[in-house]
Amino acid sequence: NAGVTQTPKFRVLKTGQSMTLLCAQDMNHEYMYWYRQDPGMGLRLIHYSVGEGTTAKGEVPDGYNVSRLKKQNFLLGLESAAPSQTSVYFCASSLVGLYEQYFGPGTRLTVT
Amino acid sequence: QQQVKQSPQSLIVQKGGISIINCAYENTAFDYFPWYQQFPGKGPALLIAIRPDVSEKKEGRFTISFNKSAKQFSLHIMDSQPGDSATYFCAAVSGGSNYKLTFGKGTLLTVNP
């Protein structure tokens, strides 16, 4: 039981490049979330999903897209990376009706 | 607008001392208040949580105190140990908003030996 895994762990992009971050969970959780963590800012919600095929915007969605084609996977895409998207990205998941979220180990993204 | 305010930003405590981190919230729809602990290079992990119908919850050396009328809650770490050195985040959740977490900005705790 791996819990929540994230791929890749580290990535360096140039401005304007695109990439996709993958989050996978093996706990059969319905809800999945993408956060970004910046120094002194805490964690801020980018997008979330309440089930397969559904997505919704969080607090800071601009510049990101997401997809949830399979229940166990939640993808975060950057179509045209900007230096302001340099951050550590965390994925989390939870069961329906339960408050506890389980976090992955994070992806450190640097955009130059 | 910042819905959960956390203080202090950083805290240094001697081994065996008490660490206290405070949070305040504005949205009365919040109905669950967790604390997350994060070690360097790791994801946050749930440490302890409380619901607003309870004024205090204790788990080992960790205690949450909750003041509903003041819309404040705090984390107390008794007999602090160097292994407690981490970043602590308070958060608030509303079950009516798809269980989205609203985080405070975090407190970096250092416990000196």
Side-chain angles (χ1 to χ4, degrees), chain A residues 27-40:
Chain A
M27 298 176 284
N28 202 34
H29 286 176
E30 284 288 343
Y31 289 15
M32 296 187 75
Y33 308 83
W34 275 108
Y35 296 89
R36 61 177 289 173
Q37 182 175 24
D38 303 293

Side-chain angles (χ1 to χ4, degrees), chain A residues 31 33 35 37 40-45 48 50 57-59 90 94-106 108, chain B residues 1 9 31-32 34 36 38 41-46 51 87 89 93-106:
Chain A
Y31 289 15
Y33 308 83
Y35 296 89
Q37 182 175 24
M41 298 295 293
L43 287 92
R44 294 179 292 170
L45 182 65
Y48 65 99
V50 299
K57 293 180 180 180
E59 180 185 354
F90 288 99
S94 65
L95 281 168
V96 175
L98 295 183
Y99 290 90
E100 182 175 0
Q101 292 185 18
Y102 294 82
F103 283 78
R108 182 174 294 276
Chain B
Q1 99 241 27
Q9 276 188 305
D31 54 6
Y32 180 78
Y36 281 80
Q38 184 181 31
K42 304 291 186 183
L46 180 66
R51 293 184 184 273
T87 300
F89 294 96
V93 186
S94 168
S97 68
N98 292 318
Y99 303 93
K100 293 178 290 183
L101 281 164
T102 299
F103 283 91
K105 293 189 176 182

Side-chain angles (χ1 to χ4, degrees), chain A residues 65-77:
Chain A
N65 56 76
V66 288
S67 64
R68 183 106 181 263
L69 299 180
K70 294 183 178 180
K71 184 178 182 179
Q72 64 267 34
N73 295 337
F74 195 27
L75 278 64
L76 178 70

Side-chain angles (χ1 to χ4, degrees), chain A residues 8-12 21 86-89 105-110, chain B residues 41:
Chain A
K9 289 185 168 52
F10 303 94
R11 185 71 186 267
V12 178
L21 282 66
T86 293
S87 188
V88 181
Y89 292 86
T107 294
R108 182 174 294 276
L109 174 66
T110 302

